[in-house]
Amino acid sequence: MLSVEDDGDVEAEEAGRDMEAYERAYADDRSWEDLQEDESGRLRVVDVAQQQRQHRKRVAAMAGAHIQRGIIRYLYLLVDLSRAAGEMDFRPSRMGVVANCVEAFVREFFDQNPLSHLGIITLHNGVAQCLTDLSGSPETHIRALRANLECAGDASIQNAIDLARGLLCQIPTYAHRETLLIFSALSTCDPGDILEAVRRCKDANIRCSVVGLAAEIYICKLLCEQTGGNYSVATSETHLKDLIMEHAPPPPVLAESAVASLVRMGFPQRGAEDAVALCVCHGEVKMGGGYICPCCKARVCELPTECHICGLMLVSSPHLARSYHHLFPVPHFEELEGTAMANGRESEFKLCYGCQQKLPFPGGEVSGVRLVCPRCRQHFCYDCDLYIHESLHNCPGCESISSTSSLPDLQN
Amino acid sequence: MSSAMSAARSDDVSAVVILLDVNPYFWGTKTSTGFTFEQFFQHVLVFINCILLLSHLNQVTVIAMGASACTFLYDSAAIDGTASGRSKRDKQPESRSTTITQKLQEFVKKDEAAETNLAPVENQFSNLSGSLSMALCYIQRILRKPTAPPQPRILCVQGFPDAPQQYIAVMNSIFSAQRCSVPIDACIVGSQHSAFLQQASHITGGIYMKPPQPEGLFQYLMMVFATDLYSRQFLQLPRSAGVDFRASCFCHKRTIDMGFVCSVCLSIFCKHHKACSTCGANFNVKKGGQKRKQPSS
């Protein structure tokens, strides 16, 4: 399922983007002449249709590859809190910047990987310490890290990955095991052979990635290469944030490492807002909210979790549904050129099916492209096309396909 | 409409998109309880007029969801725009209610013609997913306006029970609404609760209500759903009586509270399968049958 061939165009484009602004040739294409001021004072491109076409082309190129991704992830975040994390080349300190990035990352991680679990391990004084166990609640991790933000001693990569490997070995085989090391130090202080530890990680199918703050280090590079992870070094605070955030979307999976399995899960109902009950996770009386396990009727406070009584995996169905648009994508809309649309049905397709905006037609006052869904043959404007493919993931026409598709055909 | 006024802060100016359930399969069988479609439609028409009277900047858009199709019935912004041009030709602009009624009649006729081609079992639901998608596309257009746009919200007046086959499409719409912070309100006039709309209002922060007496629909609409988003924080609005988070399975489209989930693509099944019908993953029977390994303690 993994396809990486069709990236040629994108790479070529990226090469152009890498050039500094002053290196590119502007004088020839006189791009400023394409701009015009509109009624609200914003600059607009004169040839709207051409610009929209180009943008659609770019979007289509990016969406091309179909890649299997590991959706259920178990990730340990290894945070370096050694002496080097106290350095002040980042403001207020490397540690503070990392904590902010980790906070944003943890939230984003659970947003993009609703069924995944995350834990935090800290590296300081030559040892690795498990700060939070694998769990699905972002607040616990953020609170724990904020409360333990002190740096001392040396960092030991070997201790950290050995500890993470021990913990990750227990999780079920269908899940994807990962570690993400955020490393401030320039050296590692290990009790044994780190190469052996790297090999064991590879055998355990753990994907190790590293984001460095100082400089590129050989052992980090080796660790990532061996286990299939990513290694990157941040050059600035915003760059660091981008690099850490890159690990939030689920990574592509190699076909051989993925073990598919059916997992039994429960979809609990949310209790009424004014009901009072004991929760099993904290053993406290709670008012309102809460979810009731469909198997044993125990009440838990947060989803996703494992029922403490019967061990059933409890998730909310919206969590699952967040990723379904990957499975059933909306077909790419085709563009209708000037002549194709003017076959006597202009009155029927004068307005965009989605937003009732006037659609462009030859000689009309609206400029832009006119798009048609290949499945339901409804016409859409450029803005709706973008919205439908980027955010909505539903074609309004196809949703009522049973009748509307048959109507125009009858009239023909 | 002075620009200073609209720029001041539009948090109490609303753009309401109303999704009306006009499914004949629902209203045809509903007559036994005494609440007819005529009454329902009257209540809604008065409600639409009321919203437009609350503020002259308010906008109302009405989308009808029929047995399979859906269409725009009325758009106050579009009508106002063309009214000047039309009144030159016509002696008197048509009243709002007449416009909506006429459009509705056209739609019902079209919908009826389309339905005759289909098996009756298939249209035993209202097209919630299609109308929600349309409403969201329309709201995107409102939000694109350069001047401060009004606060959009969706009010769904549904009668027919949920259609499990629309599950994914409805969920996609809900998440999209959540992302652009558009609350979805739901008013259920049918006899059954709607799990989809419960989830929708829970996720997007809207209000879900099933009036105990649909005969008083207008009162409920006015007291609960007419207020703008800013004023809502001062009101005692109905609190949710629990949300049904059950999913529907991909294989039989049944609503289930326990099921099997494919670890690769997260498809939901009500029974154990040998292979995933969605992504083609092969489940190793030996491993998959024993559920999960117990963590070694």
Side-chain angles (χ1 to χ4, degrees), chain A residues 62-110:
Chain A
M62 278 196 297
H66 229 69
I67 300 172
Q68 184 186 339
R69 291 179 181 276
I71 295 181
I72 304 183
R73 304 165 71 185
Y74 283 76
L75 178 121
Y76 265 108
L77 208 55
L78 314 177
V79 183
D80 177 6
L81 291 181
S82 65
R83 217 179 301 114
E87 279 192 31
M88 316 235 284
D89 51 351
F90 288 79
R91 294 281 158 193
S93 66
R94 289 186 184 176
M95 186 167 64
V97 173
V98 166
N100 289 339
C101 293
V102 165
E103 182 173 338
F105 170 77
V106 169
R107 285 184 207 283
E108 184 71 17
F109 178 82
F110 284 112

Side-chain angles (χ1 to χ4, degrees), chain A residues 150-165:
Chain A
E150 282 163 25
C151 58
D154 294 307
S156 163
I157 297 183
Q158 191 201 351
N159 282 341
I161 58 177
D162 272 343
L163 178 64
R165 183 176 50 82

